[in-house]
Amino acid sequence: MFIALGCRSTKRLSKDEALVTKLTINGVDEPFADQAEDFVALDIRPNSPFNLWLYNTFSRKGKLKIGEAPHLLDSSLVEISRNQIEKFLNIKGYLNAKVKDSISIKNKRAHVVFTAIPGTEFKFRNISFDVADSAVKEIYLNNRKSFTRIDSGKRYDTDSIAFEREQIYLLMKQNGYYDFVRQYMRPTVDTNFNAGVADIQIAILNPPGLAKHPIYTLGDTYVRIQPSSGIIAHPRQDRDTVVIDSQYRFYDYSHFFKPKKFVDYIYLDKGDIYNISNADLTTQRFFDLNAFRSVSVDFAKSKDSSKRELVGLMDIIPLKKKSNRLDGEYTFNSSITGLNAGLTYQNRNFFGGAELFEVKLRGGVQFDKNVDGSLSDRLLSRDFQVGVSLSFPRLITPFNIRSSGRNGIPHTRIASSYQNYRLTQSYLRKSLGFNLTYDWVETKYKLHSFTPVNISYSNALISADLAQLLISQGNAFFLSTLRSQLLSSSYYTYTINLPKLTTYNNFTFFSGTAEIGGNSAALAAQLSNKYNSDGQKLLFGVPYYQYVKLETDVRFYKSFGGERQLVVRVNPGVGYSYGNVKSLPFDKRFFAGGSSGIRAWQARTLGPGNYNRASLASDSARFNLRNLDQLGDVKFEGNIEYRFKLIKNFIGSKVKGATFIDFGNVWQLRDNGLDGGQLKFNKLFEQTAIGVGLGLRFDVSFFVFRLDAGFKFKDPQFRGDDQYVVKYWFDREGRNRLKSNYAITNAPDKYSISQIQFGIGMPF
């Protein structure tokens, strides 16, 4: 049953007009209720109130096409819709179904009601086969169980018959039958024996005039690479021609590519039986190379008809070799605002084999609204980054490892980066990094990523005032975390079911990362006898870190039909430092909060544990340590989110809703001077934050814009019953008192019960 309500103006309607404001479909059970609505004409479905308001405000005189014109009652469309719903039920096995309609009008508002009487549900009974070609029959019957939806006792459904025809067509095309067409499959259904049963005979005919279906093999393949414009001025001139492996003939009119590097992704080997799946796979892999905007694979029969041989024809149009992209974002929350801008240069074919060379420049600033004074006084941070990377669509190793690429394109990525980050006048960090990464696909749903080399050298300058302040307050821990350092590590990530994240199926997603760092640096440091004042050994003038870090992300997706989905997620992580420095590097520590975590808190403003920033000795300490002190060695975040559809068409996008519960925190393994920040198992619940909220997702097909409102339910920085800030949701006086007291004890921090989070893409 579907009901849409809304307040819509009817003042402009004439005497005989009525606005459709409500639609009800009765008598159609799950799983067909949502589908039945799709058979109602769009012009008699209730308007989206907002879209109608846009139309009445901006488009009423026809000058603009904004919003949605009013859906006025049309009895002819009601009858057409009634008939379409009835046919839909017939298709789904309710062969005697009848649908009635009724209309009620009050104050020029129309309520349209469709009432279905489904009748008997017909089911398949006897299934027989009539296949003239014995080879075709053997292939079909040996593979049928893997795809069929036609079985004795199952609901009769013409969509299932159409699906069977399509699967037979694909099966034959995968086994050499190039000439096979869908019309060779002829189903005959008899529903006259008894009420509620349907007998079906599936016949597969031979081609006219032939005793069996012919099987084709592959010959040579011709590959034409056009200019990026798609225009070839002189077809027989101005092209590079090369023959590889005596079967692949390349004609490159772009002069950009080295054909030998693409042979591994052509699955049309000479002498093989024709298989449409290999043609589709070839097309997909060339698209995956991210160097071509158009790829087509076709076949032509050999001129010698006695050979039963096909010639492969590939036609490719590349993307522009070079491109630039400018992007930016403006972020804001209750206290911090910021502006980021970036410029990206790409060369998609650096060495002629679809290698991607990329240069990224990015800069940003953040301002603290809690600070008085001019804009420069409010400046919190400045950040400048430059990154250079080169990605090869193959594995480049000292060993001869050849990947077939059937499940996906492997990549080797070499990257280097530089960052200059300044936090007010108290901290300056300059970092230079380098890494080498291998990505490969075991199966469609199993992905591997291995980074054997990841090196980062950071030169940090801490103001004397801040350093003295930290030491005097017993927070020397931050000095070791923030100062100059050397990181060298290797890490591995294993991911399962990443492609399923855009579906509404039932599945489990898993991603796990293991990282170990510092051991190679420790070996190199054996050649040095230099130490700092803390007794830590130095390499290239800075201390090196030794640590292990593990993090997993496990999600359970449960579909409730349509676009309704429940997601349960747990995201634990732990890092442990040993050897030279007894703390994790700043960049390897965990934080809580943010748009993809516990959404009732800003990122880096939750935890660790019961830590309350009021324990810092002064306002200046809180000011200087913003985004630096609320980090941990251990993280546990959990989320429970229910997703559902709200509006099908909202200014060209789908609008989906979400309700969620987030919980968790970060903790420290060692006592580093932050009161309540250390992990205590007997206080685990007391140290756990809980937030709840509502969200909107605007799906415009190529990306999702997300808006979440999170509300603090339980805040671990307080003690006892004061943790349950939910009691202030509807108590304005108590909430104001809480904020006032917090401003005194935690200045310059301010407290907010709620938090708005913006994001691109789903949170998880």
Side-chain angles (χ1 to χ4, degrees):
M1 178 177 175
F2 172 84
I3 298 177
L5 293 171
C7 296
R8 301 166 174 86
S9 173
T10 58
K11 294 180 180 179
R12 299 190 183 103
L13 300 182
S14 65
K15 180 180 179 180
D16 297 327
E17 291 180 326
L19 184 69
V20 179
T21 59
K22 188 175 180 180
L23 170 66
T24 304
I25 300 177
N26 296 318
V28 181
D29 297 328
E30 294 287 354
F32 306 125
D34 290 339
Q35 296 180 53
E37 183 202 337
D38 293 334
F39 291 88
V40 178
L42 286 172
D43 288 342
I44 59 168
R45 299 183 200 175
N47 288 96
S48 158
F50 183 74
N51 288 350
L52 183 58
W53 174 82
L54 287 176
Y55 177 86
N56 287 331
T57 303
F58 300 104
S59 306
R60 188 165 57 88
K61 296 181 180 180
K63 294 182 179 180
L64 297 172
K65 293 184 178 180
I66 298 177
E68 186 178 71
H71 292 172
L72 303 181
L73 180 64
D74 186 330
S75 58
S76 63
L77 291 179
V78 173
E79 171 58 23
I80 291 172
S81 301
R82 183 204 64 78
N83 189 48
Q84 290 300 312
I85 296 173
E86 196 170 274
K87 288 182 178 179
F88 166 69
L89 293 175
N90 294 160
I91 288 172
K92 290 302 178 183
Y94 300 94
L95 303 184
N96 300 320
K98 299 295 179 185
V99 178
K100 298 179 180 180
D101 63 74
S102 62
I103 302 170
S104 61
I105 301 175
K106 185 177 181 181
N107 297 328
K108 296 185 181 180
R109 291 177 171 84
H111 177 195
V112 180
V113 179
F114 295 101
T115 302
I117 305 173
T120 302
E121 179 187 64
F122 279 69
K123 295 183 178 181
F124 290 113
R125 186 178 62 173
N126 297 322
I127 303 167
S128 59
F129 308 95
D130 181 13
V131 184
D133 188 328
S134 59
V136 169
K137 184 176 184 178
E138 182 179 3
I139 293 172
Y140 171 45
L141 294 182
N142 286 343
N143 290 275
R144 183 176 178 273
K145 287 185 178 180
S146 65
F147 60 76
T148 189
R149 298 176 182 175
I150 300 173
D151 206 351
S152 181
K154 287 188 176 181
R155 176 176 48 80
Y156 168 75
D157 188 336
T158 56
D159 287 340
S160 296
I161 298 175
F163 181 79
E164 189 88 3
R165 174 185 281 114
E166 187 64 23
Q167 294 304 306
I168 292 173
Y169 169 78
L170 292 175
L171 185 62
M172 296 303 112
K173 289 283 190 176
Q174 291 166 352
N175 285 273
Y177 297 101
Y178 175 73
D179 287 329
F180 194 91
V181 294
R182 295 173 177 84
Q183 290 76 9
Y184 289 154
M185 187 277 209
R186 299 283 180 88
T188 303
V189 181
D190 192 342
T191 59
N192 295 322
F193 290 97
N194 292 295
V197 298
D199 291 347
I200 182 171
Q201 182 188 71
I202 297 175
I204 301 179
L205 307 181
N206 281 341
L210 296 178
K212 62 179 182 178
H213 291 263
I215 294 178
Y216 287 83
T217 58
L218 300 182
D220 291 342
T221 296
Y222 294 80
V223 184
R224 182 175 69 169
I225 305 176
Q226 301 188 39
S228 59
S229 64
I231 300 174
I232 300 176
H234 306 286
R236 297 188 179 275
Q237 304 173 16
D238 195 29
R239 67 185 185 187
D240 298 333
T241 304
V242 64
V243 179
I244 298 176
D245 199 20
S246 302
Q247 60 173 321
Y248 302 118
R249 302 176 181 272
F250 284 84
Y251 302 97
D252 183 7
Y253 291 88
S254 70
H255 308 292
F256 289 157
F257 297 93
K258 295 180 179 178
K260 188 176 181 180
K261 296 184 178 183
F262 297 97
V263 170
D264 286 345
Y265 304 116
I266 301 177
Y267 304 97
L268 310 175
D269 292 339
K270 191 173 184 177
D272 284 357
I273 291 177
Y274 163 75
N275 185 337
I276 193 174
S277 293
N278 287 338
D280 293 341
L281 183 60
T282 300
T283 301
Q284 184 59 53
R285 289 297 167 264
F286 270 75
F287 274 123
D288 290 345
L289 289 169
N290 195 30
F292 307 105
R293 66 181 175 93
S294 175
V295 180
S296 66
V297 178
D298 205 348
F299 298 91
K301 294 180 181 178
S302 172
K303 293 181 179 179
D304 186 355
S305 59
S306 63
K307 285 187 176 182
R308 299 291 186 191
E309 187 176 79
L310 299 174
V311 176
L313 303 172
M314 292 186 62
D315 205 10
I316 301 171
I317 301 177
L319 292 163
K320 288 185 177 180
K321 184 179 180 181
K322 300 176 182 179
S323 66
N324 297 291
R325 184 179 72 251
L326 182 66
D327 60 89
E329 63 179 1
Y330 176 73
T331 60
F332 64 94
N333 51 46
S334 61
S335 61
I336 306 297
T337 62
L339 179 66
N340 292 283
L343 175 66
T344 301
Y345 164 81
Q346 288 185 332
N347 185 321
R348 293 186 175 88
N349 194 40
F350 200 64
F351 293 126
E355 300 86 3
L356 178 63
F357 176 72
E358 194 170 65
V359 178
K360 291 184 176 182
L361 301 175
R362 179 163 291 276
V365 291
Q366 284 187 318
F367 300 92
D368 190 338
K369 295 187 292 184
N370 293 333
V371 177
D372 297 327
S374 64
L375 192 63
S376 60
D377 294 329
R378 297 181 181 183
L379 182 63
L380 174 63
S381 67
R382 288 175 289 179
D383 188 12
F384 172 75
Q385 302 175 43
V386 57
V388 180
S389 66
L390 181 59
S391 179
F392 299 84
R394 61 193 71 89
L395 296 179
I396 301 175
T397 67
F399 316 101
N400 186 18
I401 300 177
R402 182 173 179 178
S403 171
S404 69
R406 280 191 165 272
N407 296 308
I409 300 286
H411 286 93
T412 300
R413 185 174 183 269
I414 303 171
S416 181
S417 62
Y418 170 77
Q419 181 182 26
N420 185 304
Y421 175 79
R422 180 182 291 276
L423 182 65
T424 60
Q425 300 299 318
S426 58
Y427 181 63
L428 174 64
R429 180 187 183 92
K430 299 178 181 179
S431 299
L432 182 65
F434 172 83
N435 62 68
L436 169 66
T437 300
Y438 297 103
D439 298 320
W440 71 97
V441 184
E442 179 184 344
T443 69
K444 181 179 179 180
Y445 299 108
K446 296 180 180 180
L447 311 179
H448 302 264
S449 180
F450 176 51
T451 300
V453 180
N454 180 49
I455 300 173
S456 174
Y457 177 86
S458 298
N459 188 330
L461 298 176
I462 304 174
S463 69
D465 291 341
L466 176 59
Q468 184 58 43
L469 178 66
L470 294 175
I471 294 173
S472 65
Q473 294 178 350
N475 291 314
F477 155 74
F478 288 113
L479 291 178
S480 63
T481 300
L482 302 177
R483 66 187 171 190
S484 300
Q485 56 189 236
L486 175 67
L487 302 181
S488 64
S489 68
S490 300
Y491 54 89
Y492 166 76
T493 300
Y494 178 55
T495 304
I496 300 175
N497 286 335
L498 181 64
K500 293 184 179 181
L501 293 182
T502 57
T503 71
Y504 290 95
N505 299 324
N506 298 326
F507 64 94
T508 298
F509 169 86
F510 173 84
S511 180
T513 299
E515 180 175 5
I516 183 168
N519 291 339
S520 57
L523 289 175
Q526 297 301 316
L527 303 176
S528 170
N529 290 316
K530 294 183 179 181
Y531 295 83
N532 62 14
S533 59
D534 295 327
Q536 297 164 347
K537 211 165 194 179
L538 303 180
L539 184 63
F540 302 114
V542 297
Y544 59 88
Y545 284 78
Q546 293 172 270
Y547 63 93
V548 291
K549 182 180 177 182
L550 302 173
E551 184 176 7
T552 60
D553 185 349
V554 184
R555 312 173 200 170
F556 305 93
Y557 290 80
K558 171 66 177 177
S559 174
F560 290 95
E563 297 182 21
R564 294 173 297 164
Q565 188 178 49
L566 178 69
V567 184
V568 178
R569 172 182 181 250
V570 290
N571 178 209
V574 59
Y576 180 74
S577 59
Y578 59 93
N580 196 43
V581 181
K582 296 300 189 292
S583 65
L584 282 175
F586 177 79
D587 294 339
K588 300 301 178 180
R589 297 172 69 80
F590 298 103
F591 68 87
S595 63
S596 297
I598 305 175
R599 285 160 280 188
W601 279 262
Q602 300 172 26
R604 302 176 184 269
T605 64
L606 172 60
N610 293 126
Y611 171 61
N612 189 317
R613 302 190 83 229
S615 63
L616 294 174
S618 65
D619 296 353
S620 61
R622 281 186 288 274
F623 179 84
N624 287 316
L625 289 176
R626 285 170 300 174
N627 295 334
L628 301 178
D629 56 337
Q630 297 188 264
L631 304 173
D633 307 316
V634 178
K635 175 181 77 168
F636 183 87
E637 286 186 346
N639 313 86
I640 302 173
E641 181 167 296
Y642 179 67
R643 300 168 180 171
F644 50 91
K645 180 178 65 178
L646 285 176
I647 303 174
K648 279 192 173 182
N649 186 2
F650 174 73
I651 320 179
S653 67
K654 287 184 178 180
V655 180
K656 302 173 184 177
T659 59
F660 55 83
I661 301 174
D662 303 328
F663 53 92
N665 207 333
V666 294
W667 295 265
Q668 295 181 350
L669 289 176
R670 297 182 175 96
D671 185 1
N672 290 314
L674 297 183
D675 185 28
Q678 193 173 7
L679 177 64
K680 301 289 185 181
F681 287 103
N682 61 340
K683 296 183 177 180
L684 195 59
F685 182 74
E686 181 185 338
Q687 294 179 325
T688 298
I690 302 175
V692 301
L694 304 168
L696 293 174
R697 288 89 171 91
F698 300 88
D699 187 347
V700 292
S701 72
F702 52 91
F703 76 93
V704 175
F705 171 73
R706 174 166 50 88
L707 174 65
D708 288 324
F711 302 90
K712 295 180 178 67
F713 185 92
K714 178 179 177 291
D715 192 339
Q717 70 175 307
F718 303 123
R719 297 294 186 269
D721 291 340
D722 290 339
Q723 287 191 342
Y724 292 91
V725 293
V726 60
K727 61 187 175 183
Y728 299 116
W729 284 7
F730 307 105
D731 181 1
R732 178 178 295 181
E733 183 178 343
R735 187 166 62 250
N736 291 336
R737 187 167 57 250
L738 170 65
K739 291 181 177 180
S740 298
N741 293 335
Y742 195 86
I744 296 172
T745 59
N746 291 65
D749 299 352
K750 294 183 179 180
Y751 193 79
S752 176
I753 294 289
S754 61
Q755 178 64 42
I756 302 297
Q757 303 280 4
F758 295 90
I760 300 296
M762 301 299 284
F764 42 81

